[in-house]
Amino acid sequence: MTVRCPADLRALPADRLPELAAQLRDVLVDVVPRTGGHLGPNLGVVELTLALHRVFESPRDPLVWDTGHQAYVHKMLTGRAAAMGGLRSDGGLSGYPSRAESVHDLVENSHASTSLAYADGLAAAFALRGEDDRTVVAVVGDGALTGGMAWEALNNCARTPRRPLVVVLNDNERSYAPTVGGLAEHLARLRAGDAPSVFEQLGLGYLGPVDGHDVGALEAALRHARRSRRTVVVHCVTRKGEGYAPALADDVDRMHAVSAPAPSDRPSWTSVFGAELAAVAAVRDDVVALSAAMVAPTGLDRLAAVAPERVRDVGIAEQQAVTSAAGLAMGGMHPVVALYATFLNRAFDSTLLDVGLHRLPVTLVLDRAGVTGPDGPSHHGLWDLALLAMVPGMRVAAPRDATRLRELLREALDTAGPTALRYPKGCTPPDLEGTGRLGQADVLVAGDGAQVLVLATGPSAHAAVEAARRLPGFGVTVVDPRWVLPLDPEVIAAAARHRLVVTVEDGGAVGGFGDAVARALAGSDARVVPLAVRQEFVRHAERDVLLAEHGLDADGIVAAVLTSQPKRRARRRYVPGAAPASRAGIVSQRGSSLRGLPDSSESTTTRATRSALLGRGNRRS
Ligand SMILES: Cc1ncc(C[n+]2csc(CCOP(=O)(O)OP(=O)(O)O)c2C)c(N)n1
Ligand SMILES: CC(=O)[C@@H](O)[C@H](O)COP(=O)(O)O
Ligand SMILES: [Mg+2]
């Protein structure tokens, strides 16, 4: 019998379930290593998902998957098994629940610890609407339960314990690594049969521990919880990676997230950061590192291996990470908080008013900054520049390659106030040396005359240099600010002398680097064209595809130069004897006017557009 929907599953005789579970695991093991995705977490919830869809009637009984990375089996049981081959690919299934894909999917946000708050809200809505024959079900991992939001929700659920709300605690003892803190210890005692649970202490129901791989036991516990018509925590004990020996043998993270094959011999941004931090920490005992349950994914495992006492894993608790870093800084340390950029959102207030207000020497290292790709809209790191731009005293750096990452990390650790570094997912590009300095910035290409200036942040510098190469005769200068925010006054002064200033950033358009440059140059003759990720929720697709779609590759920069008309120059009142406004180009600190790239043959389009750019007929001034 084929299971095309939960009703088919509910009609299946119980003795067919082991066979179905095996088929589901076969699909996961066959597909996910090819597509990339969360293999370990989904192998661990096969039986649990079968039991959930046999006991509850989704979507009438809404299933809320915390974080959503463990919903592949749910997708297969709700009619999407045939589409699994396109998982996480452009136009294919999302790696997380997707409301566009199915009525059975509810929460698309992949940020952890939100499910219980959603469930609290859903249960309240059903009560107000008189629909209390519906049961709300939240599936939350032991890792996600270390997030503060989960306890805010439990505190509120405890106020109205007599609502049909089932909290399925999927306890596999791990986030990526083993779950940390007092909660992990408490769950271990509950697994050993100690009682009472903290949940009962709050006035909620508690059932467990239940074998999370025994569908019959799971069904019995879930039916009991459903009949109780109150808020009940069902404590399910599962194994991450269950049924697949290589995952079970993976002591780092049980194949939490496997990547699609992407051959590259270049070091990842993460590994360059991890090695450099360990090197600095070896000679500076004030340097400590913090992670929100992502020690290895952020590269801190290198330091943890040699100095475990210098790396603090606080659980999935970014606010705790940043504010406790403020405490560490007040205590004389220089903390480095390593996060994925998108998860900084969770700790904005901590960054602003615990670190920024006190001007503390805390360094945020934001991996996965910018477009990340297959993890989709809530994982792209598009908001950090706008958030950090709002923090007075915060200095933000964006390295363009490994050498600059090492350089800028050391500069940040030598800074007495708040700093941040941001770099993307993946491997570092080849080093790109500057030809001179302009303030804190590196001049990468010095174009003739003050015509076009491209201010390219982070690895977009490579696309900018390629764009300059394709625009001979346009006098394109390329500068990498290195320290992106606050703006470098020398860079802005030079930019004000240009006809056209193109800024490039792998981040959201609103409130980022380009916005800041446009504001700074508003009163000048320079036309500013900010190139950034359009301020929208960006779908899941390969990073390079999305960067090109948002005009952040060399083609996009070339197009911006060719299609942007300089500002109409304000008619200058002639002042007898006044020196003509200087249109000198970028001059390196060595004082020489640096030559631009060698000219090559000009197309008619280029010539025509160049004359438009430089003014009818005359060549550059
Ligand atoms: C706010 C936030 N921080 C970090 C992450 C990265 N992350 C994704 S899954 C995961 C571990 C989740 O552990 P758990 O909830 O126990 O689920 P499991 O993978 O064990 O099933 C983490 C830290 C995230 N999604 N959200
Ligand atoms: C679900 C989650 O937040 C993480 O597991 C994330 O998907 C990992 O991303 P990377 O694969 O980029 O490390
Ligand atoms: Mg877990």
Side-chain angles (χ1 to χ4, degrees):
M1 173 184 189
T2 307
V3 174
R4 283 176 299 270
C5 64
D8 291 347
L9 176 63
R10 286 192 285 269
L12 201 62
D15 62 3
R16 298 287 304 279
L17 293 175
E19 172 195 349
L20 177 57
Q23 288 170 357
L24 291 164
R25 279 197 171 87
D26 288 348
V27 172
L28 291 173
V29 169
D30 173 49
V31 166
V32 180
R34 283 188 283 112
T35 62
H38 293 91
L39 183 55
N42 283 281
L43 286 166
V45 295
V46 169
E47 291 78 13
L48 177 56
T49 309
L50 289 173
L52 284 166
H53 277 295
R54 283 169 62 86
V55 171
F56 299 101
E57 294 186 28
S58 167
R60 180 156 182 73
D61 299 330
L63 289 184
V64 182
W65 297 92
D66 200 292
T67 318
H69 63 306
Q70 76 296 51
Y72 300 175
V73 179
H74 162 80
K75 291 196 174 205
M76 287 194 269
L77 296 176
T78 51
R80 289 166 276 181
M84 283 298 287
L87 182 70
R88 293 164 55 101
S89 66
D90 197 358
L93 289 181
S94 164
Y96 300 89
S98 163
R99 298 151 71 92
E101 288 176 18
S102 170
V103 294
H104 295 281
D105 291 8
L106 210 53
V107 173
E108 303 182 0
N109 178 12
S110 62
H111 291 202
S113 316
T114 65
S115 61
L116 303 188
Y118 278 107
D120 178 44
L122 280 160
F126 293 162
L128 288 166
R129 293 162 56 94
E131 297 176 357
D132 37 20
D133 59 333
R134 304 176 69 177
T135 304
V136 179
V137 182
V139 183
V140 59
D142 56 303
L145 204 57
T146 61
M149 277 190 75
W151 294 93
E152 293 169 14
L154 284 171
N155 182 46
N156 277 279
C157 289
R159 295 169 59 196
T160 45
R162 308 209 63 78
R163 290 181 311 180
L165 196 169
V166 176
V167 175
V168 177
L169 171 52
N170 172 29
D171 179 5
N172 53 26
E173 304 178 48
R174 302 178 77 99
S175 281
Y176 285 75
T179 303
V180 298
L183 175 66
E185 303 304 323
H186 179 61
L187 294 182
R189 288 195 295 276
L190 293 180
R191 291 192 298 270
D194 284 2
S197 72
V198 61
F199 311 107
E200 290 159 295
Q201 302 282 320
L202 285 174
L204 303 173
Y206 171 81
L207 289 175
V210 183
D211 177 351
H213 299 293
D214 177 339
V215 182
L218 285 166
E219 284 195 41
L222 293 171
R223 290 189 199 287
H224 181 86
R226 185 176 186 206
R227 280 193 304 272
S228 73
R229 311 312 295 161
R230 54 184 300 230
T231 302
V232 181
V233 175
V234 181
H235 182 185
C236 305
V237 180
T238 65
R239 286 177 294 278
K240 199 166 202 174
E242 176 69 5
Y244 184 52
L248 289 170
D250 174 6
D251 275 341
V252 174
D253 66 14
R254 297 285 188 277
M255 293 191 170
H256 172 88
V258 295
S259 303
S264 168
D265 58 358
R266 299 204 52 79
S268 68
W269 290 96
T270 307
S271 64
V272 171
F273 159 65
E276 192 66 9
L277 180 70
V280 171
V283 295
R284 278 193 46 182
D285 56 11
D286 63 324
V287 171
V288 292
L290 297 96
S291 164
M294 299 179 79
V295 170
T298 58
L300 296 182
D301 49 338
R302 185 72 177 264
L303 176 57
V306 296
E309 75 287 354
R310 307 267 293 275
V311 177
R312 296 165 54 84
D313 176 358
V314 300
I316 309 180
E318 286 79 7
Q319 291 168 308
Q320 161 68 10
V322 176
T323 300
S324 66
L328 279 156
M330 287 176 172
M333 307 301 284
H334 190 127
V336 174
V337 183
L339 304 172
Y340 283 10
T342 188
F343 302 135
L344 177 69
N345 298 2
R346 279 281 172 85
F348 174 64
D349 196 59
S350 300
T351 303
L352 179 68
L353 297 178
D354 296 319
V355 174
L357 178 63
H358 304 110
R359 299 203 178 285
L360 292 168
V362 173
T363 296
L364 304 173
V365 174
L366 304 177
D367 198 336
R368 272 58 172 187
V371 170
T372 51
D375 272 297
S378 53
H379 253 75
H380 298 304
L382 301 181
W383 300 280
D384 55 289
L385 280 175
L387 291 174
L388 295 174
M390 289 189 277
V391 181
M394 172 64 73
R395 302 191 67 227
V396 184
R400 62 176 181 272
D401 53 32
T403 296
R404 266 34 74 174
L405 172 50
R406 296 185 193 99
E407 207 174 78
L408 288 164
L409 176 62
R410 288 177 181 267
E411 290 177 24
L413 292 171
D414 287 340
T415 301
T419 52
L421 272 71
R422 71 186 307 264
Y423 46 79
K425 178 171 185 171
C427 294
T428 54
D431 274 4
L432 182 58
E433 294 307 330
T435 59
R437 266 286 165 96
L438 175 67
Q440 299 267 324
D442 278 343
V443 178
L444 303 179
V445 174
D448 287 347
Q451 299 312 320
V452 179
L453 173 62
V454 179
L455 297 177
T457 64
S460 70
H462 296 260
V465 168
E466 170 57 19
R469 192 189 65 76
R470 297 185 199 172
L471 290 165
F474 274 71
V476 177
T477 294
V478 179
V479 167
D480 168 7
R482 297 172 68 254
W483 288 98
V484 171
L485 292 171
L487 299 176
D488 184 324
E490 290 194 50
V491 170
I492 293 304
R497 295 199 300 274
H498 283 71
R499 302 293 292 277
L500 178 63
V501 177
V502 177
T503 63
V504 192
E505 65 201 284
D506 183 4
V510 172
F513 174 69
D515 259 4
V517 171
R519 273 199 310 278
L521 293 176
S524 76
D525 285 343
R527 167 168 297 285
V528 179
V529 177
L531 299 182
V533 178
R534 290 186 297 276
Q535 202 70 27
E536 59 193 36
F537 293 113
V538 177
R539 73 182 188 281
H540 68 270
E542 287 308 313
R543 171 174 157 78
D544 292 344
V545 168
L546 293 172
L547 288 176
E549 281 184 12
H550 288 260
L552 299 176
D553 60 356
D555 289 346
I557 298 168
V558 167
V561 173
L562 292 178
T563 58
S564 304
Q565 297 306 318
K567 264 183 185 173
R568 284 203 175 290
R569 289 167 56 74
R571 298 193 62 73
R572 287 181 185 284
R573 192 165 52 79
Y574 174 67
V575 178
S582 155
R583 299 199 66 74
I586 296 279
V587 177
S588 84
Q589 280 163 350
R590 290 197 289 268
S592 64
S593 171
L594 296 158
R595 298 293 303 159
L597 289 162
D599 269 6
S600 59
S601 64
E602 286 186 359
S603 71
T604 45
T605 311
T606 302
R607 190 177 304 114
T609 313
R610 182 164 54 71
S611 65
L613 191 66
L614 305 182
R616 187 68 45 214
N618 63 326
R619 289 184 64 79
R620 60 188 178 287
S621 55

